[in-house]
Every structure is written in structure tokens, then in C-alpha cells.
Amino acid sequence: MSQAPKTLHIKTFGCQMNVYDSDRMSGLLEVQGYRLEKDIRNADVVLINTCSIRDKSEHKVLSLLGELRPLKQKNPKKVFGITGCVGQRMGRTLLQRVPHLDLVMGPDAIDRVGQLVGSVLNEGKRVLDVGFDTDRKRTYSQPSVIPRAKPSEFLTIMKGCDHFCTYCIVPFTRGREKSRPIAEVIQDVEHLVEKGTKEVTFLGQNINTYGKGTPETLAQLIEAADRVAGLERIRYVTSHPRDLGDDLIAQFGSVSKLCPALHLPFQSGSDSVLKGMSRLYTQQQYLEKIEKLKRACPEIAISTDVIVGFPGETDADFKETLKVLAQVEFSLVFMFKYSPRPGTRAFAMGDEVPESVKDERLHQAQVLVHQILDRQNKNLIGTKTHVLIEALDKKAKHFSGRNPQGKIVHVFNAGSACIGKTIEVEITEANGSNLRGYYVGALRAERNQPFVSATSFS
Ligand code: 5AD
Ligand code: SF4
């Protein structure tokens, strides 16, 4: 009699790249016969894909591991693995500190996940794989693994980062920049489109320098993706203001499938803090890039990341950050309190801003951003926009998707037949975090109803 397939549960923390890596691990394991299991308690293999960008992210992982211990006591055969950046950073220490952990592996070991989990299951070993790709070539290959595809998918096109911003752990956990060849990426895009994907977001920690050390560039990849029949939208993340060249800026006005949206972290408005962070641009240079982007594409939405409380940040420095936030009116802002990461240059700087001051600055920035977003989104009431419907909301009250600018829109009179379709939506309500509206193709009579099911949608 054949054995029942092993079941797998993957929990993901952190950035989109981790979401992609988790999908890839589940794809690789599914090919080997594993079946996905939603309930962590019932899975034979539990993988936790982790993030170490801030101290808090690491604490979350360690406390989750503590909570999961009773499951291992109940079923010693259950396999627990840590993958991703915490695995890479803590390595053997993690195996030593957490006796119920069977596997620790870093981001570069993802394509070996089948073999590694197999060693635990079949040989009863505790396994460590934090091997770094030390090959000095500037390219790497990642064979296509696409068991299923959502309307909007992430696709990793490069790994690593060569920037070494002084606060950032990424270059230490993900290594140097390496890119996949355009032909291979385009093949993945085509496979995704065959399975129903309409929008692809290319991922890289420092994506503007995609192809560094090879004749290929990000601009060329965008042009090639624009030619893929059936693909409707292209996005990419994350850009570095210093590396966003004029060719890439111009594409926002010329490449039809490239969405008018760009994530361009500025981190701080203060030139002296930017210098301490080794960001390699000034406030003025950042604002000039924004001007150029708006000239190339007036409807472009720009989102950003901000760190408050970097070592030595004064009140005057922080005011410069508030000034940029007020001036640019970003479409979305991710705000973080500076978190010292062992091994980075900023860790050794000392001059820590007190926690209470960081809290106060974060609060001030959040209040300002919320006011701006609330006003910005309310201005959209009465306008129409195109939304690629991605899913039914968990509470089944509405469908949701994003407009070209990347804003989340909840649509109240769409049906399940619209998942994967781009529909025209009139915005009727808005707040600081989302937009709500109605599919304009639907009957007027339906507008007053809170939710109309699939049958009403053609
Ligand atoms: N502390 C706080 N925020 C950080 N980020 C990166 N490293 C740190 C750190 N040590 C933020 C940056 C980056 C985003 C992904 O995370 O804003 O753009
Ligand atoms: Fe980290 Fe800077 Fe590289 Fe971004 S560009 S991943 S912040 S080192």
C-alpha cells in the first residue's frame, strides 16, 4: 500500500521576497508529493520563513517557536524548520537554542528544500544549511516552478544587495547582487500568464541595478515583459533613488503595461542622517527624482519607506523627514523605528535615540501621513479607476484588488467571476487606508445593496 502524502504548512514573515520564496518552497515540495495543510497543528512538516530586518521581526519568530513546542511534544515526528533570513543570521545558534527545531536553512538553500526536509524525515537528522552562494558570477538560474498562479504574482529576478546601507542586515543575509537572465524570467512570466496571471511584480532588493555585470538591464526586461501577450500589468520593487536612471523614469511614460506606481524609499529627509545611513543621495536629489517621475507620468503614485530615530537623529533632522512627507504626498508610507542590527555599521555607531523619542517621532509621522492619505483618497470619491480583482475578502463582504496606482480597492457589487479580471470601478467611499466602490458595469439598482453574488457579474 502506498503511504499517504506528507502534509506541509508554511508560515511567512517579512517582505514580498519571502512570500515568493515560500511559494517556491511549497511548489518544490508539492512536486515531490507533499500536500499543503492550512492548519499548522495537523501538518507533518512546518516551515517558518523568517525576516530579520528589525529586532521585532526576529522576536516574533522566536516567540512563535516557543508556542509551537507543545505540538512537537505531542508528536515528536513532526518536523519544524526555520528558513529565510533569521535562519541565515542565527544558524547553528538557533539549533542549539531551540531543541525542538529540526532544520535551519538560509535563503540561498531554498532550492535544496526537498533534499533537506527529506534528510530530517528519512534519516532523523537535525539539519543546518546556511551555505552562501559564493560563486562570483553575476548571474544565477532558478528553474521554473509554478504549480498554480494568482491574478497578481511576485517574481524574483535577482538576489542580494551591494549597497550596504549602514542600518541594513540584507546584504549580510542575502549576499551580493546576482540576476537571472532575461530569457529565463520571461519564460516564468509566460508560464504564469498561461496559468491565469495578469499582473507580475518583479522583485529584487535593489532592483534598478538588475543585470549588473551583464549586458542586460531592468529597462530591457520591462520592454520584453511588455511584449508578453496576455500580461496586463508590470510592476517592480524595490528601487533605490540613486540607481533609478533616466531610462527607467522615461518608461513610466512610454511602456503601456508598466503601472504608474513606484516604491522609492527615502528613509530620511535629513542630509546628515542620509549620509550616516550611506544612502548616497541628498534630500534635494531625491526630490528631483520625484519631479522627473511626475513629468514623465503625471498620474504616477509614489510610495516610500521611512526610518525614524537613526543614531544621532535630532529634532531638526526629523523635521526634514516630515517636510518631505508633507511635500511629496506619497500614496503609501511604511514607517519604522530604527532597530539596531548586530553586524551592521550603524550598530557600532552608538548615539542611540531614546526609545520614547523614537515612539513620539513615529507617532507624529503616522498622524501626518494618515491625514495626507485620508485627504488624497477622499479626493478620489466620484472618480473611476480600473481594478484587477484578486480575491474575495476573508469576511466575504467584498472583492478586492488594486488600481494601476497600487491602491487597494474594495468592490461591493462584483461576483466571483470577476476574480482575475480588470473592471472599471467608481469610488464611492474612502479613508486613509483603502478605497471602496462599485463596478460601473453593474445595474444601478444593485448599488444600494451591500453585496451581490457571482450571478450578477458577466
Ligand atoms: N531598522 C528599521 N528599519 C529598517 N529597515 C531596514 N533596516 C532597518 C532597521 N535596521 C527598513 C527600511 C527598508 C525597509 C524594507 O525596512 O526602511 O527600506
Ligand atoms: Fe538594505 Fe540599502 Fe540594500 Fe535596501 S539598498 S536592501 S536598505 S542595504
Side-chain angles (χ1 to χ4, degrees):
M1 226 172 67
S2 68
Q3 269 188 330
K6 292 277 180 211
T7 53
L8 166 74
H9 181 98
I10 304 189
K11 200 163 172 52
T12 310
F13 291 93
C15 63
Q16 292 108 329
M17 201 167 272
N18 267 12
V19 174
Y20 173 85
D21 286 348
S22 291
D23 281 353
R24 189 165 174 83
M25 287 192 287
S26 70
L28 287 163
L29 290 168
E30 276 178 80
V31 169
Q32 293 200 0
Y34 292 79
R35 200 169 45 74
L36 292 185
E37 166 58 55
K38 280 205 175 117
D39 191 336
I40 200 165
R41 289 167 303 183
N42 300 335
D44 300 312
V45 177
V46 174
L47 298 180
I48 304 166
N49 194 12
T50 60
C51 168
S52 57
I53 197 102
R54 283 166 289 277
D55 196 37
K56 212 163 114 189
S57 337
E58 283 198 7
H59 278 300
K60 267 196 220 159
V61 171
L62 295 172
S63 73
L64 175 69
L65 272 174
E67 285 164 30
L68 294 176
R69 197 162 152 210
L71 293 179
K72 182 78 170 181
Q73 285 165 338
K74 215 165 133 196
N75 174 12
K77 287 206 174 124
K78 202 174 174 91
V79 172
F80 281 106
I82 287 285
T83 66
C85 291
V86 177
Q88 189 68 43
R89 209 183 73 74
M90 295 180 76
R92 187 173 300 283
T93 318
L94 202 53
L95 272 185
Q96 283 161 351
R97 265 176 64 175
V98 187
H100 59 284
L101 199 54
D102 304 288
L103 166 67
V104 172
M105 54 182 265
D108 263 356
I110 277 176
D111 281 5
R112 296 189 285 277
V113 69
Q115 185 194 327
L116 298 172
V117 172
S119 303
V120 179
L121 280 170
N122 306 327
E123 298 158 40
K125 284 185 185 159
R126 295 183 84 207
V127 175
L128 175 71
D129 186 343
V130 286
F132 234 21
D133 172 4
T134 49
D135 184 342
R136 294 172 75 103
K137 276 203 306 285
R138 280 303 196 161
T139 56
Y140 77 110
S141 180
Q142 209 174 52
S144 195
V145 183
I146 298 166
R148 70 191 87 77
K150 297 186 286 301
S152 175
E153 283 283 352
F154 297 124
L155 188 54
T156 289
I157 62 166
M158 64 186 292
K159 60 181 176 182
C161 181
D162 290 351
H163 261 304
F164 287 94
C165 299
T166 58
Y167 52 80
C168 185
I169 196 77
V170 167
F172 302 93
T173 58
R174 297 217 175 229
R176 297 292 69 70
E177 284 174 24
K178 277 191 177 194
S179 304
R180 300 174 65 198
I182 289 183
E184 189 185 288
V185 174
I186 293 298
Q187 218 173 47
D188 264 4
V189 174
E190 286 167 349
H191 290 163
L192 285 166
V193 170
E194 271 164 33
K195 294 212 175 233
T197 292
K198 300 287 167 49
E199 171 182 290
V200 62
T201 302
F202 293 130
L203 299 178
Q205 304 290 350
N206 188 38
I207 201 153
N208 308 133
T209 52
Y210 166 82
K212 185 173 172 181
T214 80
E216 300 188 329
T217 64
L218 181 61
Q220 288 168 356
L221 172 63
I222 303 296
E223 277 167 26
D226 192 52
R227 290 192 292 268
V228 174
L231 183 70
E232 292 177 13
R233 292 174 167 188
I234 304 165
R235 303 180 190 275
Y236 58 82
V237 73
T238 291
S239 292
H240 187 294
R242 156 101 164 202
D243 300 325
L244 184 76
D246 288 347
D247 52 344
L248 291 170
I249 293 177
Q251 283 190 324
F252 286 100
S254 63
V255 177
S256 63
K257 292 179 187 173
L258 184 61
C259 286
L262 183 72
H263 188 63
L264 194 63
F266 78 96
Q267 313 296 3
S268 169
S270 150
D271 288 348
S272 76
V273 172
L274 287 170
K275 197 156 181 241
M277 289 176 163
S278 193
R279 287 291 288 179
L280 313 173
Y281 53 85
T282 60
Q283 180 197 112
Q284 195 191 335
Q285 285 166 334
Y286 181 83
L287 294 174
E288 279 165 12
K289 295 270 174 186
I290 302 286
E291 276 309 304
K292 278 190 181 177
L293 283 160
K294 289 191 170 163
R295 248 180 278 135
C297 175
E299 72 274 22
I300 197 164
I302 294 155
S303 54
T304 201
D305 293 343
V306 166
I307 297 176
V308 301
F310 184 77
E313 184 189 68
T314 62
D315 278 341
D317 289 324
F318 175 61
K319 283 212 172 76
E320 292 300 309
T321 296
L322 292 178
K323 186 184 128 193
V324 175
L325 287 173
Q327 187 174 330
V328 179
E329 302 214 346
F330 295 97
S331 59
L332 192 61
V333 186
F334 298 95
M335 287 166 276
F336 309 105
K337 283 194 288 180
Y338 167 71
S339 166
R341 308 310 293 127
T344 60
R345 271 191 287 157
F347 188 79
M349 280 178 189
D351 216 3
E352 270 259 0
V353 172
E355 206 54 29
S356 59
V357 177
K358 285 187 199 168
D359 283 333
E360 174 51 31
R361 288 181 186 164
L362 183 68
H363 178 70
Q364 267 193 57
Q366 281 168 337
V367 169
L368 173 66
V369 167
H370 189 80
Q371 276 170 3
I372 293 170
L373 284 176
D374 197 60
R375 192 174 63 230
Q376 191 184 83
N377 287 351
K378 286 198 167 110
N379 276 340
L380 295 173
I381 294 176
T383 64
K384 291 183 184 132
T385 187
H386 286 93
V387 180
L388 170 61
I389 301 292
E390 291 177 37
L392 178 64
D393 183 77
K394 279 188 191 128
K395 291 175 200 146
K397 286 202 185 120
H398 50 73
F399 286 81
S400 53
R402 285 173 196 273
N403 72 359
Q405 279 79 6
K407 293 253 184 199
I408 295 173
V409 185
H410 298 323
V411 187
F412 284 84
N413 61 339
S416 53
C418 68
I419 291 179
K421 296 207 170 80
T422 301
I423 59 173
E424 194 177 22
V425 173
E426 184 176 327
I427 304 301
T428 54
E429 273 180 78
N431 60 29
S433 44
N434 61 51
L435 302 168
R436 291 152 171 248
Y438 286 83
Y439 166 44
V440 291
L443 295 173
R444 262 185 182 284
E446 289 171 1
R447 290 190 164 218
N448 297 330
Q449 295 183 15
F451 176 67
V452 179
S453 73
T455 48
S456 66
F457 193 84
S458 60

